[in-house]
Amino acid sequence: MLKAFAPRAIRSTRPIKSNLAFRSSPFLLRTYATEAEEQDVVIIGGGVAGYVAAIKAGQAGLKVTCIEKRGILGGTCLNVGCIPSKSLLNNSALFHQIQHDTKNRGIEVEGLKLNLQQMMKAKDTSVAGLTKGIEFLFKKNNVNYIRGTGAFKDEHTIDVNLIDGGETSVKGKNIIIATGSEATPFPGLTIDEKKVITSTGAIALTDLPKKMVVIGGGIIGLEMASVWSRLGTEVTIVEFLGQIGGPGMDAEISKMAQKLLTKQGMKFKLNTKVTSGEVNADSLKIHVEAAKGGKEEALDADVVLVAIGRRPYSAGLGFEKIGIETDDKGRFIIDHEYRTKIPHIRVIGDCTFGPMLAHKAEEEGVAAIEYITKGSGHVNYGAIPSVMYTHPEVAWVGQNEAELKAQDVKYKVGTFPFSANSRAKTNLDTDGMVKFLSDAETDRILGVHIVGSNAGEMIGEATLALEYGASSEDVARTSHAHPTLSEAFKEAAMATYDKAIHF
């Protein structure tokens, strides 16, 4: 039995010769693949992991088929997750800024009003353009695309119920499972995506709720809470843990982010559990109490958002009949080359181990194909960034202080506030800071944590630094353009190995 791998850097030290014939010449696009046309790679799932793997396989000259049951490529991320939520986050932030902040900048606006239908239309336009873009890339790279639901017939054959009716099947030398994840339901609350919603319903509300209760203070819950809070909804977040952002977020950064979001109007109930809910035609009540037990409290709401995480999706795949195994959380068990106990069947993305992040899934899509074609692949799981797209944004990569303490690692800390950054001052947007953690002896960067405007873009430099094993001094001695927010990044590095200049 193959054991699940722990998240870590995957590096091959010796290339392995592939048993696949490498094809350099293009071949004609086919509408459907059949058993008579054996594919080099069959991919089940057209989300981020699946479509990236399909494009990479096409670029490598392989015969590849991608099966997607939604009928629209891009998966959760593109259709009901990352992309539409960022559209709403950006546009709700503009609305909030015009309403509360532009007067201080010398911009006075009268008659401001919310057109929620137009805001949703702008979101849908963004999504439609990107999904069509993936279809174009499929055609460009000779990827066969089947719109339908796939299930294992045997170890090499996938039967497909086509969306437009009928059935087909496709046989592959290699099969990649990339079926993604779904929102984890909350016991006792039935999701209808109208009153009791997941993130899918949260990006599609047709009316502005007066009150919203969010169960779960992780990234998804906080992002959706931000959207509706900015537009005028009274939002209360109920979180079982003692901090927001999930366990990956550094505790100091989490406290700062919570303070800033509270100033914007959000309410937080930490160390609190939901015990039950009452959903009636004209009312909704959520009953909560202290996580360790205590007096019960009832929260009234028009809408409750369930955001307690996501779980692997594999319903109807029929993997059991060929002996593929999952763990107690429903994740497919794989080795460090993404192989199940059946070596030619690999698994990538949300339905297996590691953080459920689109960019992690993309990296695995590329690596899986490289393992098939070259025998070696690479994903450094110690350098996968996370971003919370609230305002200010929160971003981090590497380890946080709690993790380093648990491992008894001696480390140094360096910080720099955006209030001392010239570009942040001219932008009138000075909330937050950059925080570096480095090894006390070698100065190698162990983690970087940012709360502030543009944190999601700035974390890319930190990720690159971790990937190449940079020290805080390496970053501190690298020239950064002036005036930019990234100078705060440089100054935090300076504060880690020596002293900052401007604070």
Side-chain angles (χ1 to χ4, degrees):
M1 183 186 300
L2 296 172
K3 295 182 179 179
F5 68 91
R8 60 179 177 85
I10 297 179
R11 301 180 188 271
S12 176
T13 57
R14 180 169 58 88
I16 304 169
K17 185 178 292 186
S18 171
N19 61 358
L20 291 176
F22 188 85
R23 296 169 173 81
S24 58
S25 59
F27 54 92
L28 295 175
L29 179 69
R30 291 172 294 277
T31 304
Y32 300 117
T34 67
E35 287 191 51
E37 302 175 280
E38 186 176 42
Q39 304 288 283
D40 294 321
V41 184
V42 174
I43 300 167
I44 308 171
V48 176
Y51 85 69
V52 168
I55 292 171
K56 185 66 177 177
Q59 290 173 344
L62 302 181
K63 246 188 227 182
V64 55
T65 290
C66 183
I67 303 164
E68 171 52 51
K69 75 171 192 173
R70 193 188 298 265
I72 303 173
L73 294 168
T76 295
C77 173
L78 184 49
N79 290 281
V80 293
C82 317
I83 301 304
S85 67
K86 300 315 167 284
S87 173
L88 293 177
L89 280 160
N90 182 67
N91 293 334
S92 64
L94 287 173
F95 178 81
H96 189 268
Q97 185 175 30
I98 293 169
Q99 190 175 42
H100 297 284
D101 188 41
T102 55
K103 187 175 181 180
N104 296 329
R105 302 169 184 270
I107 304 170
E108 298 185 10
V109 179
E110 294 183 3
L112 178 68
K113 63 178 182 179
L114 172 65
N115 184 335
L116 186 58
Q117 287 68 36
Q118 183 59 38
M119 187 174 285
M120 292 295 175
K121 183 178 178 181
K123 172 207 67 177
D124 294 338
T125 299
S126 300
V127 170
L130 288 167
T131 54
K132 290 176 182 175
I134 299 172
E135 289 192 29
F136 168 77
L137 291 172
F138 269 22
K139 292 177 182 177
K140 178 182 176 182
N141 293 285
N142 299 315
V143 176
N144 295 312
Y145 173 27
I146 299 180
R147 294 174 173 84
T149 302
F152 281 97
K153 178 180 181 180
D154 56 47
E155 292 182 5
H156 284 278
T157 309
I158 305 299
D159 286 337
V160 186
N161 287 320
L162 302 173
I163 289 176
D164 296 330
E167 298 178 347
T168 190
S169 63
V170 56
K171 180 171 286 188
K173 296 175 185 176
N174 292 274
I175 295 173
I176 295 177
I177 299 171
T179 49
S181 62
E182 63 181 350
T184 302
F186 190 88
L189 288 174
T190 301
I191 304 295
D192 61 9
E193 299 297 9
K194 293 181 179 180
K195 292 177 76 70
V196 181
I197 63 176
T198 65
S199 56
T200 299
I203 63 166
L205 293 176
T206 56
D207 297 300
L208 184 68
K210 291 182 179 179
K211 292 183 178 182
M212 175 184 286
V213 171
V214 180
I215 304 176
I219 292 177
I220 293 174
L222 292 172
E223 287 184 350
M224 291 297 94
S226 289
V227 168
W228 296 104
S229 175
R230 292 166 184 168
L231 299 179
T233 299
E234 182 184 315
V235 178
T236 301
I237 295 100
V238 181
E239 170 55 50
F240 184 82
L241 299 177
Q243 71 169 59
I244 65 170
M249 189 181 291
D250 184 83
E252 182 180 13
I253 296 294
S254 175
K255 288 178 183 178
M256 180 175 285
Q258 182 185 339
K259 182 179 179 180
L260 294 171
L261 293 174
T262 300
K263 283 173 60 178
Q264 296 173 20
M266 287 189 233
K267 299 176 182 178
F268 293 90
K269 289 185 174 294
L270 304 185
N271 296 305
T272 302
K273 63 182 178 182
V274 174
T275 56
S276 64
E278 299 175 25
V279 183
N280 300 307
D282 56 352
S283 66
L284 199 164
K285 285 185 182 293
I286 299 298
H287 298 277
V288 303
E289 64 180 41
K292 294 182 179 180
K295 185 178 179 181
E296 188 179 87
E297 178 184 2
L299 304 176
D300 293 318
D302 300 296
V303 173
V304 58
L305 167 60
V306 178
I308 58 174
R310 298 183 65 81
R311 63 185 184 183
Y313 182 82
S314 58
L317 187 59
F319 63 91
E320 306 92 342
K321 72 171 66 172
I322 60 172
I324 294 178
E325 300 171 320
T326 59
D327 69 0
D328 58 355
K329 294 183 179 179
R331 299 174 297 191
F332 287 104
I333 297 174
I334 56 174
D335 68 6
H336 71 283
E337 293 186 18
Y338 310 109
R339 296 175 300 192
T340 64
K341 65 185 296 184
I342 303 172
H344 70 270
I345 300 177
R346 288 175 160 85
V347 186
I348 56 176
D350 283 7
C351 55
T352 189
F353 300 90
M356 290 185 177
L357 296 170
H359 44 283
K360 172 260 192 185
E362 286 188 33
E363 298 301 321
E364 291 181 341
V366 171
I369 299 302
E370 289 179 335
Y371 274 117
I372 291 171
T373 58
K374 302 177 182 179
S376 60
H378 166 71
V379 177
N380 183 354
Y381 289 94
I384 302 290
S386 295
V387 183
M388 184 170 77
Y389 295 89
T390 52
H391 186 85
E393 293 178 349
V394 180
W396 67 93
V397 66
Q399 296 173 290
N400 58 43
E401 284 202 66
E403 291 167 338
L404 294 176
K405 288 176 181 176
Q407 297 168 27
D408 198 26
V409 174
K410 291 180 171 54
Y411 62 93
K412 297 183 295 183
V413 180
T415 63
F416 190 84
F418 282 107
S419 59
N421 174 265
S422 57
R423 185 63 186 273
K425 281 184 174 294
T426 61
N427 291 347
L428 301 181
D429 193 1
T430 58
D431 289 332
M433 70 174 183
V434 181
K435 177 177 181 178
F436 268 67
L437 303 172
S438 74
D439 187 277
E441 295 182 6
T442 66
D443 192 38
R444 182 172 62 87
I445 298 169
L446 302 174
V448 177
H449 305 265
I450 309 171
V451 54
S453 182
N454 210 46
E457 301 294 338
M458 205 178 301
I459 204 64
E461 182 179 356
T463 305
L464 187 64
L466 258 71
E467 181 65 39
Y468 283 91
S471 66
S472 66
E473 184 176 358
D474 288 331
V475 174
R477 293 190 181 278
T478 301
S479 180
H480 289 62
H482 174 77
T484 61
L485 297 175
S486 67
E487 287 179 287
F489 188 85
K490 171 187 171 74
E491 294 260 16
M494 294 175 71
T496 308
Y497 96 94
D498 189 12
K499 292 181 179 180
I501 295 295
H502 292 95
F503 184 70

